[in-house]
Amino acid sequence: MVALLLLSVFLSVCFIAAIQYKGKPVICSREVFIAALLLNAFLCWLYAEGASLFHAIHNYTALIFWSCVVLVQSLLCFRICKKHGLRFRDFKSGIKVESWSRSEKSVVVFVVLGILLPLLILAIVVPPNNYDSHYYHLHRILAWTQNGNLDFFPTQHIQQLYHNVFAEYIILNVYLLTGSDQFINLVQYLAGIGTIMAITLLARQLGMNRRGQFLTAVILVTLPIGIFEMTSTQVDYIATFFFVSFLYFGYKLLSAYHPVTVICMAASLSFAAFTKYPALFYALPFCIYFGIQFLIRYKIKRSVRILSCILLCFVFIFTPFWQRNYSLFGHVLSPKESSVFFAEKLPAEKFGFKYTLSGFIKNSSLHFGLPFSAINTQLEEQIGHLHHLINVGINEPGLYQDPFMVRYSVHEDTVPNTLHFYCIAILSLFLLFKKENSRNGGSRNGDSRLKVFWLLAVIGFMIFSSMLKFQLWSTRTHLPFLAMGSILIAFSIQSFSRFFQTSIILVFLISSQFYVLGNPSKPILPVPYYGKILTGHLPVSLCIPAPFHLEDYRAVSDQYYDFTTSDGFGCYPIKGSPDYGERVKINTAIDNLGYYDAIKKTIFDIPRHEAYFMSQKGRFLNYSPFFRHITEEHPHIGLITGKADGAYFYQVSLKAATGITARIDYIYFRKEFSTLRNYQKPFCYSYILSDDTELAKELIPENQIDQLYQTEQLALIRLKTPMCNKYEY
């Protein structure tokens, strides 16, 4: 029944377009589509919070709610169309294909067939398999549907509770209407499409012509982290969509005041923050700029109205979530450092210009990585020297979560956007010294507006770099900045000749195929394998698949890997930086031993139940042997974890492999959770799954254990009789 949601978006587009009818053709424009997405996002929030009040989050309540929404929208559309005498043929698309040049049409065909269509197929066919999806994004969905509400629940992974939740509200609605996770990746996919539309509208507001808007869309759609995000249940593209929508409606409000524009701007900013707080860091300089401009243009009265609308929207959207946080943690944002629930401290602990400069450099360096370890090592050393000059430690206490390094990692969470970022860095200087003119790009006022826009974007990135500790996976939280960067790149290259424009676009399009086809979590082709072989890219640590193969690998690579040092998991570090010829020789040798067999597979060679664990292949190897031991039709499985494990992939992988619908829930957690209403709900189980065998054996009486099945990382206990105990510490 995901069709209900799509029908709701379609009817919203028709309704919003029709109410603008003034005797002219009804245009279903990009702005109308964005407004429709905002409206349906609010409806997702309304269902989630409303159903939660009555403990009624369930498939049938979602079906009733969205059926009513579609019915009301249909009646409204029918009424307004009847009033104006409109027919379906009177609705026209806002995209004028006939005005595109031949080369532009060719690019559009390539983008649709080479990028958007393959990503759409991946989003539908491939199950969610992102690391964070298992640990907290989708575990929330399980807990909410099992409990029937959004209230907090006992857990070992505390981020499941206080990390922002709006993206999961939208995913929850899709999940309930379909009864599975088949289409939940489409939420980010649709957010990506919405962002492409919003960024082109923003480019138009900044004075860019149709060609510039077209270039902006192409640059954005080829962004590596964007390509990866569009097929996952991460939330960064959703936050970026709302952020870019906020910018568009903000700039539109500078041109002309309208209450609907104010509401759209306020809702966009609220939803962006409710999805991911870092969006506020990027938004802050724009908020100040808009505020000053509103005061100049609209004086005090209207400016106060705008500010009041934003504040009211924030309070309305956030209040239920903040109330849940405060009731358990005593703080609206996250557990206090003195709290027993404290898990992480992401905000930076030192502030000052040199610390801001350090954060800016290190965050930028996340996009410097190349598939050549020698170059990355040199970059790392140079950045270290630069930190020495500004008298800041490269790993300054209080400023980092992860030790600094420059690396090239093709992963959904850490992929560098090297080509785009180098272009952004170079073209920022080009913009700084560019003389204002109207050639190919609009007016002098447009040049000035773009310069102010980009200055605010850079300030936002610096605020982000100042306020948060350095983390290696932050490339995806840079997505709002990179989206704004697509405007800078397009604005700069639109003044080039058509030949150079086409050449640059071809480079972006061709490079995008490595990420479309070679996502390690969803490989259409074994691009990572071909890449390692062609470039001679060696593993930083050689992880031996089985201990009895150690001597085989030692025989062919002992000269280059340190087999006297292990991390405890059978991984051995590389000694130095072999030249290309040596790297190719080593790669060939370990390839012949089967080292790369796993990355030779495509996603279509991997069964669904295994594909869930593409980011945690070792976890699947340890979990799948238990499938044959779980024999009940609807078993309840207690989860005892000492490592903040999630349950989502365990539950859905079991169903995909065996057809068994299980319920997996935590039975080991802090005693402070005993005050929660969801704690009081009984949960009896016949099996126990644990990543700490000794802990499980301590908690479970020996006379209750029927069978103990064990792998290297996990244990499954079958009980003699069902138990309902909950274990606290």
Side-chain angles (χ1 to χ4, degrees):
M1 297 301 292
V2 72
L4 277 175
L5 277 172
L6 297 177
L7 183 57
S8 177
V9 173
F10 172 75
L11 290 171
S12 299
V13 169
C14 293
F15 172 71
I16 295 170
I19 60 177
Q20 299 176 1
Y21 178 73
K22 295 180 180 178
K24 299 179 181 179
V26 179
I27 303 297
C28 297
S29 63
R30 290 167 288 173
E31 181 181 304
V32 169
F33 181 74
I34 292 167
L37 290 181
L38 290 175
L39 173 59
N40 282 271
F42 171 72
L43 292 172
C44 287
W45 179 92
L46 188 63
Y47 168 76
E49 291 289 357
S52 179
L53 285 175
F54 301 98
H55 303 276
I57 291 179
H58 197 275
N59 303 71
Y60 68 82
T61 57
L63 180 60
I64 292 171
F65 175 83
W66 285 101
S67 295
C68 292
V69 166
V70 168
L71 178 61
V72 170
Q73 289 179 326
S74 299
L75 292 174
L76 289 173
C77 284
F78 176 78
R79 181 176 179 180
I80 196 168
C81 288
K82 185 178 180 180
K83 178 181 178 181
H84 296 300
L86 293 172
R87 298 180 182 180
F88 185 75
R89 64 172 177 265
D90 296 319
F91 290 84
K92 296 186 177 182
S93 170
I95 303 175
K96 300 178 181 178
V97 179
E98 67 274 7
S99 66
W100 291 351
S101 68
R102 186 174 181 179
S103 64
E104 287 173 339
K105 290 179 181 179
S106 299
V107 170
V108 170
V109 170
F110 185 94
V111 167
V112 171
L113 297 181
I115 300 177
L116 296 181
L117 182 59
L119 294 183
L120 176 62
I121 293 171
L122 288 177
I124 295 174
V125 173
V126 182
N129 54 25
N130 181 269
Y131 181 89
D132 283 349
S133 297
H134 169 63
Y135 282 91
Y136 75 94
H137 287 308
L138 297 184
H139 185 97
R140 289 168 159 174
I141 308 297
L142 282 185
W144 294 341
T145 54
Q146 290 171 175
N147 294 323
N149 57 57
L150 303 175
D151 294 347
F152 284 171
F153 48 86
T155 178
Q156 276 284 64
H157 195 75
I158 198 67
Q159 288 88 343
Q160 292 168 359
L161 304 182
Y162 70 84
H163 275 196
N164 286 20
V165 292
F166 187 60
E168 286 88 341
Y169 283 7
I170 302 173
I171 293 171
L172 172 67
N173 281 266
V174 177
Y175 182 83
L176 290 173
L177 287 174
T178 59
S180 74
D181 56 23
Q182 184 75 56
F183 298 103
I184 61 178
N185 289 328
L186 287 179
V187 175
Q188 281 257 106
Y189 183 86
L190 197 59
I193 299 298
T195 305
I196 293 168
M197 292 186 176
I199 204 73
T200 57
L201 287 173
L202 177 57
R204 186 180 69 185
Q205 285 294 325
L206 294 171
M208 293 175 67
N209 59 19
R210 186 196 58 78
R211 177 69 175 179
Q213 297 170 50
F214 176 81
L215 294 173
T216 300
V218 175
I219 299 299
L220 178 60
V221 80
T222 58
L223 192 66
I225 191 62
I227 290 171
F228 283 177
E229 287 269 330
M230 285 181 75
T231 61
S232 79
T233 47
Q234 285 283 27
V235 303
D236 302 275
Y237 230 142
I238 298 172
T240 301
F241 164 68
F242 291 126
F243 169 75
V244 176
S245 297
F246 157 71
L247 294 183
Y248 166 65
F249 287 112
Y251 273 100
K252 185 181 180 183
L253 196 59
L254 292 180
S255 302
Y257 180 87
H258 195 285
V260 174
T261 306
V262 176
I263 293 171
C264 288
M265 182 186 73
S268 297
L269 183 60
S270 300
F271 290 151
F274 200 29
T275 303
K276 218 170 180 67
Y277 280 131
L280 291 177
F281 298 140
Y282 297 109
L284 179 59
F286 290 97
C287 289
I288 296 172
Y289 173 72
F290 289 154
I292 294 171
Q293 293 298 315
F294 293 154
L295 283 170
I296 294 172
R297 294 167 187 256
Y298 302 129
K299 309 307 177 185
I300 290 290
K301 190 173 181 180
R302 277 190 172 176
S303 298
V304 170
R305 287 178 185 173
I306 295 171
L307 178 61
S308 299
C309 182
I310 293 173
L311 293 177
L312 286 172
C313 195
F314 258 82
V315 171
F316 183 73
I317 295 298
F318 272 91
T319 293
F321 176 64
W322 279 343
Q323 188 276 330
R324 289 190 286 270
N325 277 344
Y326 188 80
S327 65
L328 184 62
F329 305 133
H331 194 279
V332 297
L333 299 182
S334 62
K336 299 177 182 178
E337 198 166 353
S338 59
S339 169
V340 296
F341 296 114
F342 178 76
E344 59 186 356
K345 188 174 183 180
L346 299 180
E349 299 174 42
K350 296 180 180 180
F351 301 97
F353 176 75
K354 64 179 183 180
Y355 300 127
T356 294
L357 184 59
S358 169
F360 182 81
I361 293 169
K362 290 200 293 184
N363 274 280
S364 299
S365 72
L366 291 173
H367 305 282
F368 291 171
L370 296 168
F372 304 104
S373 55
I375 296 177
N376 294 339
T377 300
Q378 286 294 319
L379 287 171
E380 195 173 310
E381 290 177 356
Q382 293 304 315
I383 293 172
H385 291 324
L386 186 57
H387 274 72
H388 179 72
L389 290 175
I390 62 175
N391 195 30
V392 177
I394 193 71
N395 292 312
E396 184 78 18
L399 294 181
Y400 75 98
Q401 284 284 102
D402 302 314
F404 174 75
M405 65 174 67
V406 176
R407 63 178 184 174
Y408 183 78
S409 172
V410 184
H411 185 275
E412 283 186 341
D413 291 342
T414 58
V415 62
N417 302 275
T418 308
L419 176 60
H420 290 72
F421 203 87
Y422 278 124
C423 286
I424 288 172
I426 294 169
L427 294 175
S428 293
L429 297 175
F430 170 81
L431 180 67
L432 180 64
F433 297 105
K434 181 179 183 295
K435 294 182 179 180
E436 296 183 0
N437 63 76
S438 58
R439 181 189 176 191
N440 293 330
S443 64
R444 292 188 177 184
N445 182 56
D447 285 6
S448 298
R449 182 175 289 189
L450 196 284
K451 286 184 177 181
V452 172
F453 164 80
W454 188 242
L455 175 63
L456 296 172
V458 173
I459 292 173
F461 187 57
M462 295 186 74
I463 293 173
F464 172 91
S465 302
S466 301
M467 299 302 295
L468 296 177
K469 293 178 181 177
F470 172 77
Q471 299 181 76
L472 289 173
W473 53 261
S474 284
T475 57
R476 58 186 173 86
T477 52
H478 296 167
L479 189 52
F481 177 72
L482 295 166
M484 292 186 286
S486 65
I487 293 180
L488 170 68
I489 297 173
F491 176 82
S492 301
I493 67 175
Q494 72 177 357
S495 61
F496 299 171
S497 68
R498 281 298 178 99
F499 173 78
F500 279 108
Q501 286 183 28
T502 303
S503 300
I504 293 170
I505 289 301
L506 279 176
V507 172
F508 280 105
L509 291 174
I510 292 171
S511 67
S512 72
Q513 293 305 290
F514 292 100
Y515 304 100
V516 173
L517 302 175
N519 183 343
S521 296
K522 306 173 182 71
I524 296 176
L525 293 176
V527 173
Y529 169 71
Y530 297 140
K532 288 179 183 295
I533 296 302
L534 291 175
T535 64
H537 181 69
L538 290 178
V540 176
S541 293
L542 190 67
C543 299
I544 310 303
F548 51 81
H549 289 149
L550 177 60
E551 291 305 318
D552 295 333
Y553 283 92
R554 187 196 295 269
V556 300
S557 60
D558 185 54
Q559 183 179 352
Y560 305 102
Y561 284 91
D562 185 1
F563 286 91
T564 64
T565 304
S566 173
D567 63 356
F569 296 96
C571 296
Y572 303 90
I574 197 168
K575 290 181 180 179
S577 301
D579 61 31
Y580 177 75
E582 292 173 318
R583 296 199 306 272
V584 171
K585 179 181 176 182
I586 302 167
N587 261 338
T588 302
I590 62 177
D591 185 25
N592 291 335
L593 291 174
Y595 190 79
Y596 293 126
D597 285 356
I599 63 172
K600 291 181 182 178
K601 292 182 178 180
T602 71
I603 194 62
F604 305 108
D605 300 324
I606 301 169
R608 188 174 182 86
H609 64 275
E610 182 179 345
Y612 281 106
F613 290 90
M614 283 295 289
S615 295
Q616 305 169 78
K617 296 177 182 178
R619 188 54 59 99
F620 174 76
L621 294 175
N622 281 271
Y623 178 57
S624 56
F626 299 150
F627 290 164
R628 64 180 182 272
H629 301 303
I630 301 174
T631 55
E632 294 183 12
E633 188 175 353
H634 297 288
H636 284 190
I637 303 173
L639 181 61
I640 295 177
T641 173
K643 302 174 184 175
D645 204 353
Y648 184 78
F649 288 174
Y650 294 137
Q651 186 163 315
V652 292
S653 179
L654 175 65
K655 183 174 183 178
T658 66
I660 293 173
T661 302
R663 173 176 174 175
I664 304 179
D665 208 348
Y666 293 105
I667 59 172
Y668 176 70
F669 37 73
R670 285 195 164 277
K671 61 180 181 294
E672 287 79 7
F673 284 119
S674 61
T675 61
L676 300 177
R677 284 187 298 179
N678 283 326
Y679 172 92
Q680 308 300 330
K681 295 181 178 180
F683 176 65
C684 299
Y685 44 90
S686 302
Y687 299 86
I688 293 172
L689 180 67
S690 180
D691 58 12
D692 190 331
T693 306
E694 294 305 313
L695 175 61
K697 289 165 72 175
E698 281 181 25
L699 297 174
I700 309 302
E702 188 175 349
N703 60 5
Q704 288 287 344
I705 298 176
D706 182 26
Q707 291 288 339
L708 171 63
Y709 308 101
Q710 195 168 352
T711 57
E712 186 177 351
Q713 296 179 3
L714 296 172
L716 178 73
I717 297 174
R718 186 169 67 190
L719 301 172
K720 291 180 179 179
T721 58
M723 296 177 59
C724 304
N725 304 54
K726 295 178 181 179
Y727 300 94
E728 304 170 1
Y729 64 93

